[in-house]
Amino acid sequence: MDWTLFFVTTTFALYIGIAIWARAGSTDDFYVAGHDVHPTVNGMATAADWMSAASFLSMAGLIAFLGYGGSVYLMGWTGGYVLLAVLLAPFLREFGKFTVPDFVGDRYYSDLARIIAVICALFVSFTYIAGQMKGVGVAFSGFLGVDFNVGIIIGMVIVFFYAVLGGMKGVTYTQVAQYCVLIFAYTVPAIFMSLIITGNAIPQLGFISNVSGEDISMLEKLDTVVTDLGFREYTQTDKSMFDVFAITGALMFGTAGLPHVIIRFFTVPSAKAARLSAGWALVFIAALYTTAPAVASFARLNFIDTVNESTYIAPDEDYEARAAEIEANGGTPIPEWYGDWEVTGLIGFEDKNGDGIVQFRGPNPPDQLENEVVPFSADIHVLANPQIAQLPAWVIGLVVAGGLAAALSTAAGLLMVISSAVSHDICRRTLFKDMDDKTELLVARGAAAGAVVAAGLLGIFSSQLGFVAQVVAFAFGLASASLFPVIFLGIFWKRMNKEGAIVAMLFGLISTFAYIVYFKFGGGTSDQYLFGVSPEGIGFVFMWVSGALGIGISLATAAPPQDIQDLVEDIRVPGTRRSHGMADAEMAPASAE
């Protein structure tokens, strides 16, 4: 039986079935799942929304490739979620609107601020979704032999079905199923690998245990193995301390400004439920995030053990016959999975010294040999990990289904942000204020369909970019510099006005986007970095400038109307939210009615 095909088709059928069962019948269902999702269910859906292809496929790969330097992604994303859960989510739910631009438009009493927030949300969402679709393409092409672009189109069709039909209600219950699939798919191979390498069934403990049968810890052995091949120590990094700090900060504050995560807290009945939901989500997220460092180190060790100094066999050769010949001559054939992944372009072999042996080397090899594993994508560490560890075929199929679940759950959440920004914030709240619910629901479905197509095109383009996690990191930079300052100040500083918010968002979005484009596509070099900060971390620097500009402009212009200032006071005390004139004039929240 082809276990990969079995798991993929079974899970896709499950998602479609849930979408039909949870079909949205109103704009409330479509945008916020009727505001009646149970906190535990929402916590699980939030965890799936949060743990994207970047978390599932790329985070462990980056940690495996970069060692300690890759841990900034783990620290930034985890810290950011705590920041969002504690500082923003309950207050945004107390405010009682549908979307992040809805909050910005009403809190800053300005349609212009609402439109700029829509633009920021679209920039962030489309950048983020490119990373998810790249993950879908990689999973399909690597395991099912499907062309990268065809894989993306299949993913688009599935997301189109349950996002357009079910809206947020369908997406919520689909994400619950996807969480179950992805967490099972991530932890089962980790348990197998931990048992094989350390003899400990708990990966988090195996990570800090001795190697099975040896008197040396896993990390010490990994440090020795990688330095012998010319890499820096696994527990060291080549990034400056300030750059590490900036990237962690951008990921952390960007997380707190991500619209697709924030919007999940609008689906529960109250601010108290939002707090409970955030707590549950943290528990569900921790199950994967505490496993990732273990997966990364096992993967790095396994990859070197099985690939380095093996004899190469080309994908078009008869593997079994050639491997038998190599073994008869006393050699070690390269594993069969290597050829499977060569066709995806994620890994390759260039025989620079003509000996037919694969030398995997770092930038400073003691034996002066050149690295012959080119190209090389860190994503391979997770994608091919079950094959590298020679785990059963059903485990490999499970990993593929889990990777697709992670990518599609986050993509669906982002599509909800995009469609609601177009139908609700632009059409209903700005251009056609007398639009009825039925027409708005139709427009929302049309916007979701258009967003699916645009996301697919971005995914195809993203094949030219780096690791999935690094593509996603740009979205976090944009969110931290543009949306986080106005959301944070909008909740905690009643003097923040519309002029300050508009300037802050525009500066954060334009400066961060221009910096990323210049250094990633415009020929900029690392010695030109501002304060030595890479494009992945620049959002953190511009976030402070953006916030300072917002505060300065607000102090230099008129204070917000009294209704707005009273509203800001109300939302910080649970249960005291009242209706406040202009802020609730058109669409009062349920709690204020």
Side-chain angles (χ1 to χ4, degrees):
M1 172 183 271
D2 187 333
W3 284 103
T4 302
L5 193 59
F6 170 77
F7 277 115
V8 170
T9 52
T10 302
T11 52
F12 279 8
L14 175 66
Y15 304 153
I16 291 172
I18 291 173
I20 293 171
W21 168 72
R23 190 172 190 274
S26 67
T27 50
D28 256 17
D29 284 347
F30 195 88
Y31 293 138
V32 290
H35 278 313
D36 63 355
V37 178
H38 189 278
T40 309
V41 173
N42 194 54
M44 199 175 283
T46 305
D49 207 349
W50 171 242
M51 293 188 293
S52 63
S55 295
F56 191 95
L57 298 179
S58 204
M59 184 172 65
L62 272 174
I63 297 173
F65 185 69
L66 301 173
Y68 173 75
S71 63
V72 295
Y73 292 89
L74 184 65
M75 294 187 291
W77 285 334
T78 308
Y81 182 77
V82 174
L83 191 67
L84 170 63
V86 174
L87 275 185
L88 304 183
F91 306 109
L92 288 171
R93 178 62 190 90
E94 192 76 3
F95 199 93
K97 300 296 179 179
F98 279 155
T99 66
V100 170
D102 217 9
F103 167 81
V104 172
D106 286 352
R107 164 59 182 83
Y108 294 108
Y109 48 97
S110 165
D111 282 343
L112 179 58
R114 185 191 311 277
I115 295 297
I116 294 171
V118 167
I119 294 169
C120 292
L122 292 179
F123 260 89
V124 171
S125 300
F126 275 119
T127 306
Y128 203 155
I129 214 168
Q132 307 314 308
M133 300 317 287
K134 178 180 170 70
V136 171
V138 166
F140 267 108
S141 59
F143 287 103
L144 292 173
V146 176
D147 178 74
F148 180 88
N149 293 343
V150 174
I152 288 178
I153 292 170
I154 295 172
M156 286 166 55
V157 171
I158 299 299
V159 174
F160 174 87
F161 197 89
Y162 66 78
V164 173
L165 186 68
M168 182 57 88
K169 192 175 177 183
V171 166
T172 296
Y173 294 104
T174 308
Q175 285 175 334
V176 170
Q178 287 168 332
Y179 176 80
C180 296
V181 172
L182 76 87
I183 198 65
F184 193 64
Y186 201 82
T187 51
V188 167
I191 291 170
F192 271 104
M193 288 186 294
S194 186
L195 276 170
I196 292 170
I197 296 175
T198 69
N200 195 319
I202 303 173
Q204 292 88 339
L205 296 179
F207 174 60
I208 55 174
S209 301
N210 281 0
V211 175
S212 196
E214 298 181 34
D215 189 23
I216 183 172
S217 74
M218 240 282 303
L219 289 176
E220 282 179 302
K221 178 165 184 178
L222 193 50
D223 267 348
T224 304
V225 168
V226 296
T227 51
D228 285 349
L229 297 179
F231 296 96
R232 65 177 170 276
E233 288 184 14
Y234 189 74
T235 49
Q236 300 294 321
T237 178
D238 61 349
K239 290 183 180 294
S240 70
M241 185 58 73
F242 186 67
D243 195 21
V244 168
F245 188 72
I247 295 173
T248 306
L251 295 170
M252 185 179 291
F253 291 101
T255 297
L258 280 180
H260 75 288
V261 179
I262 291 174
I263 201 173
R264 285 240 51 93
F265 295 101
F266 296 142
T267 65
V268 292
S270 64
K272 181 182 176 184
R275 284 192 176 89
L276 279 174
S277 171
W280 277 113
L282 196 56
V283 171
F284 293 129
I285 290 169
L288 188 145
Y289 271 46
T290 56
T291 310
V295 170
S297 54
F298 297 152
R300 185 76 179 269
L301 199 57
N302 270 339
F303 183 86
I304 292 172
D305 275 351
T306 55
V307 171
N308 187 47
E309 302 300 335
S310 62
T311 302
Y312 179 72
I313 301 174
D316 57 355
E317 290 184 84
D318 181 337
Y319 181 84
E320 290 186 8
R322 180 76 179 109
E325 182 186 342
I326 292 168
E327 286 172 341
N329 292 325
T332 304
I334 198 165
E336 190 171 7
W337 62 263
Y338 198 95
D340 297 339
W341 284 97
E342 272 193 278
V343 298
T344 68
L346 291 176
I347 199 167
F349 172 62
E350 187 179 340
D351 194 3
K352 295 177 181 176
N353 57 9
D355 64 357
I357 307 294
V358 179
Q359 274 96 30
F360 185 47
R361 295 291 186 273
N364 303 300
D367 56 11
Q368 307 302 313
L369 291 174
E370 290 185 85
N371 177 40
E372 297 178 330
V373 181
V374 286
F376 176 77
S377 167
D379 293 342
I380 202 80
H381 280 121
V382 174
L383 287 165
N385 214 10
Q387 293 163 291
I388 297 171
Q390 299 180 325
L391 299 183
W394 66 268
V395 177
I396 297 169
L398 198 60
V399 170
V400 182
L404 289 169
L408 295 178
S409 61
T410 303
L414 292 163
L415 289 170
M416 285 298 96
V417 171
I418 295 167
S419 66
S420 60
V422 172
S423 60
H424 184 71
D425 297 301
I426 294 179
C427 295
R428 176 74 179 269
R429 301 300 309 275
T430 307
L431 298 178
F432 312 106
K433 295 187 177 181
D434 57 350
M435 178 185 285
D436 60 37
D437 275 3
K438 189 175 177 182
T439 308
E440 186 182 351
L441 184 58
L442 191 62
V443 174
R445 288 199 161 111
V452 169
V453 175
L457 294 176
L458 275 174
I460 291 169
F461 170 74
S462 73
S463 64
Q464 302 170 29
L465 301 178
F467 308 140
V468 173
Q470 287 179 321
V471 176
V472 166
F474 299 144
F476 285 78
L478 290 168
S480 64
S482 61
L483 290 175
F484 180 79
V486 295
I487 294 173
F488 180 80
L489 291 170
I491 293 171
F492 293 102
W493 191 44
K494 64 183 181 182
R495 184 63 177 78
M496 184 75 171
N497 65 14
K498 65 180 178 183
E499 291 84 0
I502 289 169
V503 170
M505 284 188 290
L506 284 176
F507 173 81
L509 181 66
I510 295 170
S511 59
T512 307
F513 184 72
Y515 194 88
I516 291 172
V517 169
Y518 176 68
F519 284 105
K520 287 296 176 183
F521 309 106
T525 55
S526 58
D527 58 342
Q528 297 174 311
Y529 286 169
L530 183 65
F531 306 126
V533 177
S534 57
E536 289 85 354
I538 198 62
F540 177 70
V541 176
F542 288 146
M543 176 193 76
W544 292 102
V545 181
S546 170
L549 276 173
I551 292 171
I553 297 291
S554 294
L555 290 174
T557 51
Q562 193 58 47
D563 268 345
I564 299 296
Q565 297 192 46
D566 292 343
L567 172 61
V568 174
E569 294 281 355
D570 276 6
I571 63 172
R572 295 207 296 267
V573 183
T576 62
R577 173 77 161 94
R578 296 162 294 154
S579 184
H580 285 281
M582 63 190 300
D584 298 320
E586 295 177 61
M587 298 189 72
S591 57
E593 289 174 340

